[in-house]
């Protein structure tokens, strides 16, 4: 995973990702969680996240992650709460 991090990091910066969380021991409150590291990235939009994931730079890094661990990758839409009424 170190090789993956070194390869993927520059592509994340280049494509505007913000790292919101990296946790080696997430606290599972319900259900089952597999794996020993959770990483949450934020992009400006779903389209920006997909563009990064499909970019040539990340395509070179992705196999390093896939060989090093059994992972899941998902894109989820953001959420804006409705305005509060006073």
């Amino acid at each position: 995973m170190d090789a993956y991090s070194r390869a993927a990091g520059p592509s994340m910066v280049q494509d505007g990702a913000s790292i919101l969380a990296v946790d080696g021991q997430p606290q599972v409150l319900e259900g089952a969680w597999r794996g020993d590291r959770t990483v949450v990235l934020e992009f400006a939009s779903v389209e920006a996240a997909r563009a990064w994931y499909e970019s040539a730079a990340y395509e070179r890094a992705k196999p390093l992650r896939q060989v090093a661990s059994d992972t899941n990758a998902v894109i989820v839409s953001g959420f804006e709460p409705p305005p509060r009424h006073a």
Side-chain angles (χ1 to χ4, degrees):
M1 287 303 285
D2 288 339
Y4 164 74
S5 295
R6 286 191 302 276
S11 72
M12 292 175 193
V13 171
Q14 175 184 330
D15 287 341
S18 296
I19 300 173
L20 298 183
V22 177
D23 195 333
Q25 297 180 331
Q27 297 177 29
V28 179
L29 301 178
E30 294 185 26
W33 192 263
R34 62 180 194 75
D36 58 3
R37 178 175 288 177
T38 299
V39 178
V40 179
L41 303 176
E42 179 181 49
F43 290 86
S45 65
V46 168
E47 294 78 18
R50 183 164 296 283
W52 165 74
Y53 184 78
E54 295 173 352
S55 71
Y58 190 64
E59 286 293 325
R60 290 188 294 274
K62 196 184 311 179
L64 298 171
R65 174 181 51 81
Q66 293 168 334
V67 166
S69 65
D70 181 20
T71 63
N72 292 314
V74 299
I75 295 176
V76 297
S77 297
F79 173 76
E80 282 199 36
R84 289 183 162 180
H85 297 290

